[in-house]
């Protein structure tokens, strides 16, 4: 979310460490969508389609406006047999989100079907940058004179009728004094406008405690701009996160910005210039990737690092990494 209610650096001049708070990130849509109900399996393809050995891809955007009704369906991309689209649409008509309350904002997700293996990946919720949530924080800040430096990520939830949020630390690389400081600050946050959404409402916020007298973090990435394949060379256990993505269907080329948070929380991934729902699976996949770190100290130090990844056109097929050497594809 784009609302910034606290930027601390200018207010803390002269202190040992200057705490800084990043923009709030609304997590509510993920909570609402977690209760999705659907059938377990797709109906089989017709014999004639199987005989043709057609493969392809379907990608839909779904909009849920009611707990009792199926989603509104918009076709984003199709490279598949008409029978496949018919079966997929019938399957989607069975989707329900029973925990979507009256007054909630509609939930939009992207659902993709791959017909080379006749199945589908989990649906990916779409988040909006134009959140209508509004918050108020303390106008004056307590002095922070601890030498502790580092970063932290918190999640706070507004539940029931309580004005004071529930606070949970997702990551704390700054120490106990920083934790007490953040807890005191977060307890003073108030939700002044929910934009019509009922509770619970959950947001995340990142903090950084930087010593103005030092050079900052001990470890840094060599650069802040990577090509996609160049970035993937830094990823840990890539063979556990294999994908087959048609980048040509995503209005390529384009770029994303990734805020590094794994393994403590999902990476924050945002499109930079253009927005396109066809990219939802790519962004979700990037959010799950973890880099190879030298040790835990480096892992904590690089938390919150921000860099740009350039996405080319073409096809990104990493499933070949799981095929035995010399294995051949089935003949057409």
């Amino acid at each position: 979310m784009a609302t910034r209610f606290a930027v601390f650096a200018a207010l803390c001049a002269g202190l040992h460490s200057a705490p800084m708070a990043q923009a709030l990130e609304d997590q509510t849509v993920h909570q609402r969508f977690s209760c999705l109900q659907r059938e377990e399996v797709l109906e089989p393809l017709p014999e004639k389609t199987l005989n043709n050995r057609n493969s392809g891809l379907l990608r839909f955007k779904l909009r849920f406006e009611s707990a009792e009704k199926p989603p509104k369906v918009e076709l984003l991309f199709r490279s598949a047999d008409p029978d496949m689209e018919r079966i997929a649409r019938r399957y989607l008509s069975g989707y329900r989100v029973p925990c979507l309350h009256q007054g909630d904002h509609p939930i939009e997700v992207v659902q993709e079907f791959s017909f080379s293996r006749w199945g589908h990946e989990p649906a990916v919720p779409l988040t909006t940058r134009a959140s209508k949530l509004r918050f108020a924080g303390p106008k004056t800040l307590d002095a922070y004179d601890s030498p502790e430096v580092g970063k932290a990520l918190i999640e706070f939830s507004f539940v029931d009728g309580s004005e004071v949020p529930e606070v949970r630390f997702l990551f704390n690389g700054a120490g106990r004094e920083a934790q007490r400081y953040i807890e005191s600050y977060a307890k003073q946050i108030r939700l002044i406008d929910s934009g019509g959404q009922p509770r619970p409402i959950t947001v995340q916020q990142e903090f950084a405690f930087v010593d103005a007298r030092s050079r900052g973090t001990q470890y840094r990435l060599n650069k802040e701009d990577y090509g996609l394949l160049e970035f993937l060379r830094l990823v840990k256990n890539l063979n556990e996160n294999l994908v087959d993505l048609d980048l040509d269907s995503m209005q390529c080329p384009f770029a994303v910005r990734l805020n590094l948070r794994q393994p403590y929380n999902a990476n924050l991934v945002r499109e930079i210039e253009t927005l396109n729902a066809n990219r939802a699976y790519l962004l979700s996949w990037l959010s799950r990737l973890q880099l190879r770190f030298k040790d835990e100290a480096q892992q904590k130090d690089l938390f919150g690092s921000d860099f740009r990844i350039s996405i080319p056109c073409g096809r990104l097929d990493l499933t070949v990494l799981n095929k035995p050497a010399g294995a051949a594809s089935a003949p057409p």
Side-chain angles (χ1 to χ4, degrees), residues 82-118:
D83 283 331
M84 297 175 177
E85 181 179 352
R86 175 182 55 79
I87 293 174
R89 285 183 178 273
R90 187 154 56 202
Y91 180 74
L92 292 173
S93 69
Y95 278 29
R96 298 292 186 277
V97 181
C99 56
L100 185 63
H101 305 113
Q102 186 174 3
D104 278 355
H105 293 305
I107 294 176
E108 292 186 339
V109 304
V110 172
Q111 178 69 77
E112 189 170 291
F113 294 83
S114 171
F115 297 96
S116 58
R117 53 188 179 276
W118 190 216

Side-chain angles (χ1 to χ4, degrees), residues 275-326:
L275 304 179
N276 192 312
N278 283 290
R279 302 167 184 166
Y281 276 87
L282 171 68
L283 303 185
S284 177
W285 174 66
L286 290 172
S287 75
R288 302 193 298 271
L289 299 183
Q290 178 183 339
L291 300 191
R292 295 190 305 272
F293 299 107
K294 173 184 176 182
D295 50 32
E296 187 177 4
Q298 185 186 49
Q299 179 174 288
K300 290 183 175 180
D301 217 17
L302 289 177
F303 180 91
S305 297
D306 199 62
F307 50 92
R308 183 180 187 273
I309 303 175
S310 298
I311 310 298
C313 294
R315 180 181 175 186
L316 179 66
D317 184 6
L318 299 181
T319 62
V320 296
L321 298 179
N322 259 358
K323 294 180 180 178

Side-chain angles (χ1 to χ4, degrees), residues 25-77:
E25 302 150 19
D26 189 356
Q27 301 293 309
T28 308
V29 64
H30 297 275
Q31 289 184 322
R32 298 282 196 268
F33 188 65
S34 63
C35 67
L36 173 68
Q37 294 180 350
R38 63 185 179 190
E39 297 294 329
E40 290 298 320
V41 296
L42 291 159
E43 66 179 89
L45 289 170
E47 188 71 24
K48 63 181 180 65
T49 304
L50 291 173
N51 291 338
N52 289 336
R53 294 193 178 185
N54 287 338
S55 63
L57 177 69
L58 285 171
R59 191 179 295 129
F60 299 92
K61 182 168 76 171
L62 314 179
R63 180 181 175 90
F64 295 88
E65 299 178 347
S66 168
E68 297 82 18
K69 296 180 179 179
K72 294 181 177 178
V73 178
E74 176 188 348
L75 180 65
L76 296 176
F77 180 80

Side-chain angles (χ1 to χ4, degrees), residues 151 210-211 214-224 226 234 260 291 293 297-299 301-303 305-307:
K151 296 176 182 177
V210 180
D211 190 337
S214 71
R215 296 180 58 188
T217 58
Q218 179 181 354
Y219 297 100
R220 296 183 181 181
L221 294 171
N222 292 332
K223 49 197 287 189
E224 296 182 355
Y226 290 85
L234 306 176
L260 189 63
L291 300 191
F293 299 107
Q298 185 186 49
Q299 179 174 288
D301 217 17
L302 289 177
F303 180 91
S305 297
D306 199 62
F307 50 92

Side-chain angles (χ1 to χ4, degrees), residues 186-204:
K187 292 292 185 182
Q188 300 177 66
I189 303 302
R190 297 295 181 267
L191 177 63
I192 59 176
D193 187 352
S194 67
Q197 294 190 72
R199 301 187 181 202
I201 289 174
T202 302
V203 295
Q204 293 180 0

